[in-house]
């Protein structure tokens, strides 16, 4: 298990991430969600030791991860390539990745190159944005690291390639279980992949929960505004819609049997929130308290 | 394969091919130079002129290209390799240790090639009827080959330590480093005529070394040079490590 304790990072006086306490279990797929600038990439870079933290600990198997060669080789962070290496040929980048990752699967790498139709003789800079992304995806998948992290893995990819990647990732995950963390804005496409989600808000951890229990906590209530207001008092509202005198609200939190009975008594329809919508609401309107 | 070995292979992935390409081009230039001198029989002599005498060396001019190679090699090490190595799960410490090993390796390879070429150069220049350049200040090409390789390796390691520091500073501070360096040189120039002093120190390296350690007459010029060289190597690598050990990946 990967334990993150009281993690903080600032650039000068500008705090970019603070007080993150998190436990990442092995062999699960996590979704890391949050709005732009909330600190998702910073968190991923801190986990993989690419950024130096101000305070806190990241512990894997009881050992601090930072500058620990044994622990660091268990991480692969796939993100947009920096401009400094874009003059390198794709085959050279893949060869270098093969050297560095101890569990690199060469056969799988070849399969992925063929599957994505990648020209490895070209320089990275000569490839389209989508194909540059594919190089990163191949590295992530073929690295077979214990913790494979994808930061915006679908940048510049068309829908067909995106779904091919999701399919390949899931197939490989079933055959070679590992922890996968995906940070993405395309929530509706990947929501069904996640087993747990982590939501950042205001540069802090807002929520970490497994998808099954999330589903059980999120409801749409639909009915007369007057009645809705009565039953949502004190509940966390994550979504609101008005259709004339009818109101639909999304609430987040456990409902007791009595509360459910009370809702029904007020002629309010109760239904589950589809996963895609739930993630979008949680990310956008994270846990607003009812005033 | 452990992490250190993997980092070593990573850092030296391009090195053999890069060195081969560099020395292939240099050799070609050297051969063309010798060939041209032979067929044109010009009065223009190529290579450095030694102590006012018209001594000639085709290969001696390679040192300028070697200097440029080391600067590019030092800058590229951090601009390209550092981000990629740490991005691929390496540690900064492992990276730096292997940079030192790689620097030493490059110094050995380059000095070996250059010393063998200088021996051949002497023979070819003599056979063309010219006086070969033998005295390069720190070594004499007529001396023992192994001794000369060791001396040049040491000198190239001094150069590598400085270009490594240049690479680290460029990575950490980017354009700000060059502005800072420019301002320092400007101030140095205004206060104590830095540029002229620097060039004169390089031209008369023996005089410069003797001024630095003038109080110990029992130590000979080469020994003083090695002491200063060792000091530069230690300080440069130490400062480089202090700046890179907590560097963020860009």
């Amino acid at each position: 298990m990967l334990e993150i304790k009281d993690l903080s990072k600032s650039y000068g006086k500008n705090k970019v991430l603070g007080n993150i306490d998190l436990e990442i279990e092995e062999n699960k797929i996590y979704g890391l969600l949050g709005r732009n600038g909330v600190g998702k990439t910073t968190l991923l870079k801190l986990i993989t030791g690419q950024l130096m933290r101000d305070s806190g600990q990241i512990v894997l198997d009881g050992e601090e991860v930072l500058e620990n060669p044994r622990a660091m080789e268990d991480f692969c962070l796939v993100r947009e390539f920096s401009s400094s290496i874009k003059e390198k040929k794709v085959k050279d980048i893949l060869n270098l990745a093969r050297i560095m990752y101890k569990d690199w699967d060469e056969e799988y790498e070849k399969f992925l190159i063929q599957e994505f139709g990648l020209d490895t003789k070209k320089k990275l800079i000569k490839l389209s944005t989508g194909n540059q992304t594919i190089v990163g995806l191949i590295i992530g998948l073929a690295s077979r690291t214990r913790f494979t992290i994808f930061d915006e893995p679908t940048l510049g990819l068309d829908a067909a390639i995106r779904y091919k990647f999701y399919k390949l990732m899931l197939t490989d995950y079933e055959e070679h279980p590992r922890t996968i963390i995906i940070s993405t804005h395309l929530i509706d496409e990947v929501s069904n992949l996640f087993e747990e989600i982590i939501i950042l808000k205001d540069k802090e951890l807002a929520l970490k929960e497994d998808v099954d229990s999330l589903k059980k906590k999120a409801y749409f209530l639909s009915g007369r505004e007057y009645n809705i207001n009565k039953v949502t008092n004190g509940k966390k509202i994550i979504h609101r819609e008005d259709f004339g005198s009818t109101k639909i609200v999304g609430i987040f939190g456990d409902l007791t049997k009595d509360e459910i009975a009370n809702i029904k008594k007020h002629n309010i329809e109760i239904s589950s929130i589809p996963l895609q919508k739930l993630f979008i609401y949680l990310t956008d309107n994270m846990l607003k308290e009812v005033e | 394969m452990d992490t250190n070995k993997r980092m070593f292979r990573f850092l030296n992935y391009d090195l053999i091919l890069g060195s081969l390409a560099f020395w292939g081009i240099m050799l070609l230039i050297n051969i063309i130079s010798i060939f041209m001198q032979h067929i044109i029989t010009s009065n223009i002599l190529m290579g450095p002129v030694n102590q006012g005498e018209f001594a000639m060396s085709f290969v001696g001019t390679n040192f300028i290209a070697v200097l440029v190679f080391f600067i590019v090699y030092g800058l590229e090490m951090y601009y390209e390799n550092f981000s990629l190595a740490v991005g691929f799960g390496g540690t900064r410490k492992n990276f730096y240790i292997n940079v030192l090993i790689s620097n030493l390796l490059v110094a050995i390879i380059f000095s070996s090639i250059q010393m063998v070429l200088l021996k051949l150069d002497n023979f070819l220049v003599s056979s063309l009827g010219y006086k070969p350049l033998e005295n390069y200040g720190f070594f004499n090409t007529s001396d023992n080959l192994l001794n000369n390789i060791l001396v040049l390796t040491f000198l190239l390691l001094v150069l590598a330590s400085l270009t490594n520091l240049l690479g680290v500073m460029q990575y950490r501070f980017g354009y700000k480093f060059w502005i800072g360096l420019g301002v320092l040189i400007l101030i140095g120039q205004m206060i104590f005529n830095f540029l002229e002093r620097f060039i004169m120190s390089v031209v008369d390296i023996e005089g410069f070394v003797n001024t630095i350690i003038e109080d110990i007459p029992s130590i000979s010029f080469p020994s003083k040079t090695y002491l200063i060289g060792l000091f530069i190597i230690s300080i440069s690598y130490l400062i480089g490590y202090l700046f890179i050990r907590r560097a963020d990946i860009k």
Side-chain angles (χ1 to χ4, degrees):
Chain A
M1 182 189 288
L2 181 71
E3 295 165 88
I4 298 165
K5 298 170 190 169
D6 199 24
L7 191 67
S8 296
K9 174 74 183 173
S10 303
Y11 291 111
K13 286 180 183 172
N14 182 26
K15 180 180 151 188
V16 286
L17 209 63
N19 314 316
I20 302 285
D21 284 293
L22 201 57
E23 284 184 357
I24 310 272
E25 289 167 45
E26 300 231 15
N27 305 331
K28 270 191 173 182
I29 300 180
Y30 286 86
L32 176 62
L33 310 175
R35 307 200 65 170
N36 287 335
V38 84
K40 299 190 296 293
T41 301
T42 304
L43 174 62
L44 299 180
K45 282 183 170 181
L46 285 169
I47 290 174
T48 52
Q50 298 197 17
L51 286 183
M52 303 301 285
R53 68 192 82 136
D54 297 338
S55 63
Q57 278 183 298
I58 301 174
V59 178
L60 177 66
D61 302 333
E63 286 184 25
E64 170 58 57
V65 165
L66 189 68
E67 289 295 277
N68 179 346
R70 212 171 28 233
M72 289 293 290
E73 63 186 10
D74 284 330
F75 292 92
C76 174
L77 171 60
V78 176
R79 63 180 179 106
E80 200 181 350
F81 288 105
S82 71
S83 55
S84 62
I85 63 153
K86 287 191 175 176
E87 281 296 329
K88 281 190 185 291
K89 283 184 179 173
V90 173
K91 65 172 182 175
D92 289 331
I93 295 172
L94 292 173
N95 285 344
L96 290 168
R98 190 185 307 136
I99 290 170
M100 288 299 280
Y101 290 114
K102 66 178 181 355
D103 296 322
W104 185 270
D105 188 329
E106 204 170 332
E107 285 303 310
Y108 191 47
E109 173 206 347
K110 283 177 189 161
F111 164 76
L112 291 170
I113 289 169
Q114 205 168 23
E115 194 71 10
F116 286 114
L118 191 68
D119 184 356
T120 57
K121 286 175 188 160
K122 280 189 176 173
K123 284 183 175 179
L124 192 66
I125 201 165
K126 299 280 180 194
L127 298 182
S128 65
T129 312
N131 278 338
Q132 288 183 22
T133 302
I134 287 171
V135 177
L137 299 183
I138 292 174
I139 291 171
L141 292 172
S143 70
R144 294 262 163 80
T145 46
R146 267 170 82 187
F147 294 86
T148 308
I149 304 171
F150 295 99
D151 188 11
E152 291 298 342
T154 51
L155 201 72
L157 297 182
D158 61 43
I161 300 289
R162 288 203 299 273
Y163 283 99
K164 183 181 266 186
F165 162 62
Y166 302 142
K167 195 179 157 199
L168 284 166
M169 190 189 75
L170 274 184
T171 311
D172 192 57
Y173 171 71
E174 279 165 20
E175 289 169 11
H176 303 274
R178 51 181 152 165
T179 303
I180 295 174
I181 304 174
I182 302 172
S183 166
T184 180
H185 285 103
L186 299 174
I187 296 171
D188 48 343
E189 282 186 9
V190 289
S191 56
N192 291 320
L193 303 177
F194 301 151
E195 290 169 77
E196 268 198 54
I197 66 157
I198 299 161
I199 296 179
L200 297 183
K201 193 196 176 195
D202 296 334
K203 291 150 190 173
E204 292 188 0
L205 179 70
L207 181 95
K208 177 188 174 278
E209 199 146 345
D210 72 83
V211 171
D212 288 337
S213 59
L214 268 180
K215 277 193 224 169
K216 289 173 193 162
K217 280 184 176 178
Y219 303 95
F220 272 138
L221 303 182
S222 158
R224 296 271 176 194
E225 186 171 1
Y226 175 75
N227 290 335
I228 291 276
N229 289 343
K230 272 186 182 174
V231 299
T232 55
N233 201 11
K235 293 288 170 202
K236 287 170 183 173
I237 295 185
I238 54 173
H239 180 68
R240 267 180 225 273
E241 273 179 85
D242 292 310
F243 298 99
S245 59
T246 304
K247 192 173 185 178
I248 299 174
V249 293
I251 59 165
F252 184 77
D254 292 318
L255 288 177
T256 61
K257 279 182 184 173
D258 289 346
E259 282 173 324
I260 293 171
N262 188 36
I263 287 167
K264 286 180 178 168
K265 197 176 85 184
H266 284 86
N267 288 324
I268 294 169
E269 201 177 305
I270 184 164
S271 60
S272 305
I273 301 180
L275 218 47
Q276 298 96 315
K277 283 189 175 177
L278 174 62
F279 291 159
I280 292 166
Y281 298 157
L282 287 174
T283 312
D284 284 351
N285 310 311
M286 191 57 217
L287 311 179
K288 275 186 208 157
E289 291 287 344
V290 174
E291 288 152 21
Chain B
M1 198 181 349
D2 72 13
T3 50
N4 247 319
K5 279 184 188 164
R6 282 202 296 275
M7 186 64 87
F8 179 79
R9 279 189 60 202
F10 176 92
L11 281 184
N12 296 304
Y13 174 76
D14 285 336
L15 191 64
I16 292 170
L17 207 67
S19 302
L20 278 176
F22 174 84
W23 283 109
I25 293 167
M26 292 318 297
L27 213 59
L28 198 68
I29 292 169
N30 294 154
I31 290 166
I32 290 170
S33 305
I34 293 165
F35 184 68
M36 294 295 277
Q37 187 75 33
H38 182 66
I39 57 164
I40 296 172
T41 57
S42 159
N43 286 330
I44 301 167
L45 300 178
M46 304 188 75
V49 174
N50 184 26
Q51 294 160 353
E53 294 173 24
F54 288 110
M56 201 164 94
S57 166
F58 299 102
V59 173
T61 48
N62 291 356
F63 283 115
I64 303 294
V66 169
L67 172 71
V68 174
F69 179 95
F70 270 77
I71 292 171
V72 174
Y73 165 70
L75 291 174
E76 197 191 66
M77 188 63 86
Y78 293 89
Y79 183 68
E80 278 189 5
N81 295 340
F82 179 66
S83 312
L84 208 54
V86 178
F88 284 165
T91 65
R92 290 158 183 80
K93 192 178 170 186
N94 260 354
F95 177 84
Y96 204 74
I97 290 168
N98 282 285
V99 167
L100 299 190
I101 296 169
S102 176
N103 282 184
L104 182 63
L105 207 65
V106 174
I108 293 170
I109 293 169
F110 274 46
S111 61
S112 305
I113 294 172
Q114 185 69 343
M115 278 307 172
V116 171
L117 286 179
L118 279 173
K119 284 269 181 196
L120 289 173
D121 181 66
N122 277 8
F123 171 74
L124 280 166
V125 169
S126 303
S127 60
L128 284 172
Y130 298 100
K131 180 177 167 21
L133 178 60
E134 288 191 332
N135 185 1
Y136 282 82
F138 295 97
F139 53 85
N140 198 313
T141 49
S142 55
D143 290 348
N144 177 280
L145 181 67
L146 187 65
N147 172 67
N148 285 353
I149 288 172
L150 285 174
V151 171
L152 187 57
T153 299
F154 180 79
L155 294 175
L156 288 181
L157 199 59
V158 175
L159 177 63
S161 71
L162 291 169
T163 57
N164 173 69
L165 185 59
L166 198 70
V168 171
M169 293 303 185
Q170 152 70 26
Y171 183 80
R172 281 304 301 264
F173 304 108
Y175 71 93
K176 289 176 195 161
F177 166 69
W178 297 107
I179 292 172
L181 192 66
V183 169
L184 273 178
I185 291 174
L186 200 68
I187 293 169
Q189 181 66 15
M190 287 192 296
I191 296 173
F192 58 95
N193 197 12
F194 169 76
L195 285 176
E196 193 184 322
R197 278 174 183 237
F198 177 73
I199 292 165
M200 289 316 291
S201 307
V202 174
V203 172
D204 180 21
I205 192 82
E206 187 168 348
F208 176 67
V209 167
N210 281 328
T211 357
I212 292 180
I213 314 181
E214 58 187 345
D215 297 334
I216 318 170
S218 56
I219 302 179
S220 64
F221 160 67
S223 305
K224 284 178 184 176
T225 312
Y226 298 139
L227 277 177
I228 294 171
L230 210 58
F231 177 74
I232 293 172
I233 290 171
S234 316
I235 290 293
S236 301
Y237 281 127
L238 181 68
I239 295 172
Y241 183 63
L242 292 177
F243 276 101
I244 212 69
R245 76 194 176 100
R246 291 188 62 81
D248 288 337
I249 300 304
K250 291 172 183 168

